[in-house]
Every structure is written in C-alpha cells, then in structure tokens.
Amino acid sequence: MRILVTNDDGIHAPGLEACVRIARALSGDVWVVAPESDQSGVSHSLSLNDPLRLRAIEGKRFAVKGTPTDCVIMAVRHIMAEQLPDLILSGVNRGMNLAEDVTYSGTVAGAMEGTVLGIPSVALSQCLGPDRRGDDAFTTAEAHAPGVIKKILKEGIPAGRLVNINFPALEPNDVKGVKITVQGKRDQNLLKIEPRHDGRGNPYYWIAFERRRWTSEEGTDLSAVENGLISVTPLRIDLTDEPYMTRLAAVFDKSKLTD
Ligand code: MN
C-alpha cells in the first residue's frame, strides 16, 4: 500500500512526523508532500495566482510553497503520477477539527482533495488540553491511529467520502474507546476580532478564539472527544441537504419563475 502524508501545519510540524510514523505502521511505502509553512485555516483553497514551488527534500519527502490542496494535487498529478497513492493521511493536526472547524480546516481539506481525486483519504487531528499542549500530545494519535485506520480500510471508504478523526486530549492509555459521530455544532461562535496597535500607533487586527465553554449534543464529534473517545466522522464532498432541497423544489414547482 502506497501512502501519501500531507498536513496543514507545514513540513516542520511535529504532527507531520507523528503522521509519518502512523503511516509507517501501515506500510513501508510512505511519501510526504506538505506545505512549506503553516496553512491552518486555509480550508480547500487553491493557489491560482502564484506559481507552486516544489522542493525535493530527500527520497520520498517534498515541500510545496502552497496549500494542503496544492500539495495533494502536486503529489497525485505530478510527483506520484506514475503510481498513485492508495491512501492519503492528512495531519496529525495540532488541535481539534470538530464541528464547524471542518469548514475552515486545511487538514480536512487535504483529505477532501484526495477524495475529489478518487483516493481514499483520512484527516487526523489531535485535540489539545491544558496539560497536553506540547509535542508529546501527538503520542495519543500515534498510539491509536494505525488500529482505527486499519478497521476503516477493512470496511472501505466509499467514493466521494472521507473520514475525519479526532483524538481526545488524554494520555494514550486513558482513551476510552472509539465513537462513530456526526459533525457537531457549537452553541456559540468563538471567533472574535482582537485589535492591537503597531509601533507607529496604527491599528491592526488578529482573528482570535475566545476561551469559552460550549455545550455539545450527544452523538456529535464534540461530545465524543469531551468524553475521552476517539471521534470518527464520515464526511462527504456532496454538501447537498436533501430534506431542504425537497422543500425548495416544492416552492419552485414546475420551473415557473412567477406564481
Ligand atoms: Mn493546522
């Protein structure tokens, strides 16, 4: 099995090395194509106005000056075009990709692009906690990901689907199990604008996250990791909401433009 590893935290991220070790536990044929710099929050973006610079580091390891999506396209359409990967692993992200995070995540987008290109793909993220913020946080993902991925591969990943896995912020031995979940929703939006001033007194701004508690519904990705479980959420590229589609179709009956 040929595995491509990518991420959004960049080629120097400790989580990427954890992902390489996870991939090596599954196969001897592991390739890495990752962004030169941190691309967290870029979602499924493509670089269309700048050229992609490709840096061959050594053997099967490459860095791309671009987004995770750029990396996967570069790998599948160029670097590995003669023998495509059988599996793409994106991560291990530094921090959770739960609920609406999925729509911002470059990590999830790396797996989305793999899915778009017809390759089974899995996104991996490690939740962080007050006591688990250092590089050793990834030991939890590393300990449990190979077994979870093997089970998923045995069942198979259908076309157009990807799998989003989040590991709880616990020591590997304290993890309570695996839960198959739905994408959740936080009961509040934690994003805010943080104003600052530069050396000349001019204002500038950071997008920041408020540290507030949220409540989560049972059965969601949020609830799983809160309860010490590994969250496994099957996602699909087709975002169509069928119940709402049916309602709208009734409103726009018979293609008439006016009532
Ligand atoms: Mn990231």
Side-chain angles (χ1 to χ4, degrees):
M1 178 167 62
R2 173 167 282 207
I3 303 181
L4 167 65
V5 171
T6 191
N7 76 347
D8 79 352
D9 295 336
I11 192 78
H12 302 293
L16 184 70
E17 295 320 306
C19 202
V20 167
R21 290 190 290 271
I22 290 164
R24 290 219 172 105
L26 299 165
S27 167
D29 190 12
V30 176
W31 294 64
V32 176
V33 183
E36 285 280 9
S37 61
D38 190 345
Q39 299 291 309
S40 296
V42 302
S43 189
H44 200 176
S45 56
L46 283 170
S47 298
L48 296 178
N49 295 305
D50 290 301
L52 296 181
R53 299 282 177 189
L54 175 63
R55 182 165 66 94
I57 298 167
E58 57 175 7
K60 299 173 178 176
R61 191 179 175 91
F62 301 82
V64 173
K65 213 164 185 174
T67 67
T69 302
D70 296 335
C71 289
V72 171
I73 295 170
M74 180 66 87
V76 172
R77 293 284 190 243
H78 182 66
I79 301 168
M80 303 170 77
E82 305 223 316
Q83 192 193 332
L84 297 181
D86 304 295
L87 174 68
I88 296 177
L89 299 180
S90 184
V92 178
N93 189 59
R94 178 175 196 82
M96 61 187 149
N97 277 308
L98 302 165
E100 51 272 26
D101 302 341
V102 167
T103 66
Y104 302 107
S105 168
T107 304
V108 174
M112 274 184 181
E113 188 55 29
T115 304
V116 168
L117 296 173
I119 297 165
S121 299
V122 176
L124 303 165
S125 302
Q126 176 64 58
C127 301
L128 305 176
D131 316 321
R132 288 186 71 74
R133 305 202 64 80
D135 293 350
D136 64 337
F138 296 103
T139 53
T140 307
E142 218 179 306
H144 296 289
V148 174
I149 294 168
K150 267 186 210 161
K151 263 194 164 165
I152 291 167
L153 293 181
K154 205 167 162 223
E155 172 57 32
I157 302 176
R161 271 65 173 179
L162 58 143
V163 182
N164 184 32
I165 307 181
N166 282 268
F167 298 88
L170 294 173
E171 296 283 343
N173 291 333
D174 295 336
V175 173
K176 292 177 180 61
V178 181
K179 175 98 174 165
I180 308 302
T181 56
V182 298
Q183 186 183 329
K185 190 186 180 322
R186 294 187 181 88
D187 59 352
Q188 49 190 330
N189 189 340
L190 304 178
L191 287 178
K192 61 172 184 178
I193 294 290
E194 203 171 279
R196 302 202 184 174
H197 288 90
D198 69 14
R200 292 183 297 156
N202 298 315
Y204 68 98
Y205 305 88
W206 284 105
I207 288 178
F209 298 88
E210 291 200 67
R211 285 186 183 278
R212 271 189 280 147
R213 290 289 305 168
W214 61 81
T215 53
S216 54
E217 264 181 70
E218 169 67 23
T220 62
D221 48 8
L222 292 165
S223 158
V225 299
E226 275 169 20
N227 289 296
L229 298 156
I230 297 166
S231 167
V232 175
T233 313
L235 300 175
R236 59 181 191 186
I237 298 289
D238 177 354
L239 300 175
T240 312
D241 183 80
E242 270 139 30
Y244 185 41
M245 182 187 145
T246 306
R247 280 166 50 202
L248 282 183
V251 171
F252 288 87
D253 191 29
K254 299 191 185 76
S255 312
K256 286 182 293 187
L257 284 175
T258 52
D259 280 325

